[in-house]
Amino acid sequence: MQAITRKLGHQSLKHHSPAISSFKSLYPLSDDHYYGYLTPRYASNLATGGAGPLIRKGTGGRSSVSGIVATVFGATGFLGRYVVQQLAKMGSQVLVPFRGSEDSPRHLKLMGDLGQIVPMKYNPRDENSVKAVMAKANVVINLIGRDYETRNYSFDEVNLHMAEQLAMIAKEHGGIMRFIQVSSLGASPTSSSRLLRAKAAGEEAVTRELPEATIMRPAVMIGTEDRILNPWAFFAKKYGFLPLIGGGSTKIQPVFVADVASAIVSSLKDNGTSMGKIYELGGPDIYTMHDLAELMFDMIREWPRYVNVPFPIAKAIASPREFLLNKVPTPMPVPTIFNLDAIKAFATDNIVSKDALTFEDLGLAPHKVKGYPVEFLIQYRKGGPNYGSTVSEKMSPESYP
């Protein structure tokens, strides 16, 4: 409907009345000076001096006007809801591209003032559709990601090609003041994980188009909808033990998901100092996988029981799904604990580099994971609201494109 309205409006300018002619004589209108669903605007780069002259009104609450109009791709996913909430509470307008059901972004509308959260249905494979959801924005945040493959979407398409497409369209747009690309800690072209290689390629593609883009590399994120502690707790409750891949000796630096959202929003508030930089976002403490599992068992009040699964055996257990993925006519189950690519990624330690920019450089101090960030696991205690529920019920299908 929006596309039809723009098209009719554009045609009305071509076949104008005498009144419009007199108006155009005073204020000349060019057919090329608009940007919408049908016609691209002329190319430009990001502003290099920060967020630019944003119009701000109010005291900074949700009923204020922050001047930010942000298109948040991947807003219906795990991290997305926290980013939308923090943008909305400071008075920003948030455009929420979504696929699938109209109910997918429903929970986000309550986070902002009336009319400030705008769901927009789109097709990530349709360039004109992507342009339409980005047309009115001055900030683009790309949270699109996938940690497993399906028959429809591969790692490269989701983590590389979509990121590259968004950067190219933002460059054409000419009015995008900030572009933030969310990657993953450990992204490297030499990684044994295909996901992390695709993330690294996505970073390179974005910075090639937009050198001023900000790259965020969060570590394993912990939170109510996470994809590590939830599957562990469900498995431990159902089977009475937890398989520890590789003995649980791999070191990770888990981070509270709300802290990652705070880092993203904080980078929008600076005077452009975060533009063109890469931030590695890890929590204040380093855990082994075994230590994190101990914390999980303590929260769900179950006696810790483990089965050590060596990496070769874990890979063998996870391999049939990858082998059959494009060979059977039906969708394959979503991998949880035995995800082949995740097993490869966790074969090496995944912690913040010594010389990397971190939360501290954004003026933030992340929460310790032990405490509030893992209290959601209480629901897995006997008699809790999610006792006996399935992991698939905890994971939104809109988390990934």
Side-chain angles (χ1 to χ4, degrees):
M1 179 61 71
Q2 292 178 351
I4 294 173
T5 303
R6 292 191 186 100
K7 186 173 182 180
L8 291 176
H10 185 46
Q11 290 175 349
S12 67
L13 288 177
K14 292 182 177 179
H15 306 288
H16 47 267
S17 64
I20 294 180
S21 298
S22 61
F23 177 81
K24 290 181 70 175
S25 66
L26 294 175
Y27 302 97
L29 298 176
S30 170
D31 291 339
D32 297 328
H33 288 190
Y34 77 99
Y35 184 84
Y37 186 82
L38 299 173
T39 302
R41 196 172 177 175
Y42 33 96
S44 177
N45 284 325
L46 291 182
T48 57
L54 299 178
I55 301 174
R56 298 182 175 89
K57 296 180 181 179
T59 57
R62 59 181 270 149
S63 296
S64 303
V65 176
S66 70
I68 294 174
V69 181
T71 299
V72 182
F73 291 92
T76 54
F78 175 33
L79 174 59
R81 66 187 65 199
Y82 295 91
V83 174
V84 170
Q85 187 267 339
Q86 296 209 24
L87 286 170
K89 77 176 184 180
M90 60 184 278
S92 305
Q93 186 174 52
V94 185
L95 310 178
V96 179
F98 71 96
R99 304 180 311 119
S101 170
E102 298 283 344
D103 290 337
S104 300
R106 181 175 60 179
H107 61 287
L108 302 175
K109 297 192 71 173
L110 302 175
M111 297 179 179
D113 208 354
L114 184 64
Q116 290 295 84
I117 309 297
V118 185
M120 301 181 71
K121 191 158 186 157
Y122 89 122
N123 179 358
R125 287 173 170 158
D126 181 359
E127 184 175 338
N128 286 331
S129 176
V130 176
K131 287 181 178 180
V133 298
M134 207 185 290
K136 302 296 183 181
N138 55 24
V139 170
V140 173
I141 302 174
N142 180 26
L143 308 179
I144 295 175
R146 178 189 290 281
D147 57 6
Y148 64 94
E149 291 185 300
T150 67
R151 291 187 303 161
N152 293 326
Y153 291 97
S154 67
F155 283 135
D156 284 342
E157 181 175 7
V158 173
N159 300 292
L160 167 57
H161 300 309
M162 288 186 183
E164 183 177 28
Q165 181 190 49
L166 296 184
M168 292 174 65
I169 294 174
K171 184 177 180 179
E172 285 182 4
H173 186 293
I176 303 300
M177 299 175 182
R178 299 298 299 271
F179 189 102
I180 297 179
Q181 168 73 12
V182 177
S183 183
S184 294
L185 186 64
S188 168
T190 61
S191 174
S192 59
S193 163
R194 293 175 57 218
L195 168 65
L196 295 180
R197 292 200 300 269
K199 287 288 188 181
E203 292 179 10
E204 182 181 355
V206 168
T207 53
R208 183 171 59 248
E209 296 292 334
L210 301 171
E212 303 87 359
T214 303
I215 308 293
M216 299 288 182
R217 292 177 176 174
V220 175
M221 291 184 288
I222 303 297
T224 306
E225 306 84 11
D226 73 29
R227 293 175 185 81
I228 182 167
L229 295 184
N230 276 305
W232 284 3
F234 169 74
F235 194 100
K237 277 293 186 181
K238 185 173 183 178
Y239 300 107
F241 71 94
L242 181 68
L244 271 184
I245 298 174
S249 60
T250 303
K251 294 180 180 179
I252 59 174
Q253 202 165 341
V255 60
F256 184 34
V257 62
D259 291 334
V260 177
S262 297
I264 292 171
V265 174
S266 179
S267 69
L268 296 176
K269 296 179 181 178
D270 61 23
N271 193 29
T273 56
S274 63
M275 296 178 74
K277 296 180 180 178
I278 298 176
Y279 292 86
E280 296 190 358
L281 307 177
D285 300 316
I286 296 175
Y287 291 79
T288 64
M289 300 292 276
H290 179 270
D291 293 338
L292 193 61
E294 286 283 315
L295 179 59
M296 180 273 296
F297 273 112
D298 182 60
M299 290 302 299
I300 67 174
R301 292 182 178 174
E302 291 288 335
W303 189 262
R305 297 182 180 89
Y306 303 103
V307 173
N308 181 24
V309 182
F311 281 110
I313 296 177
K315 291 176 182 178
I317 294 173
S319 293
R321 181 189 183 275
E322 308 304 317
F323 176 76
L324 297 173
L325 185 60
N326 294 310
K327 294 180 174 61
V328 296
T330 58
M332 299 297 292
V334 175
T336 52
I337 293 178
F338 291 99
N339 180 338
L340 181 59
D341 198 79
I343 293 170
K344 292 178 179 179
F346 286 131
T348 57
D349 295 343
N350 192 10
I351 58 178
V352 173
S353 306
K354 290 183 178 180
D355 299 326
L357 298 174
T358 63
F359 281 106
E360 184 178 350
D361 297 283
L362 292 167
L364 301 173
H367 291 80
K368 287 183 173 291
V369 169
K370 186 176 182 179
Y372 173 73
V374 294
E375 286 183 358
F376 70 92
L377 290 172
I378 292 174
Q379 63 193 328
Y380 288 99
R381 294 177 182 175
K382 189 172 182 179
N386 276 336
Y387 179 71
S389 66
T390 64
V391 176
S392 60
E393 291 171 351
K394 294 286 295 174
M395 298 171 65
S396 167
E398 279 294 321
S399 300
Y400 302 109

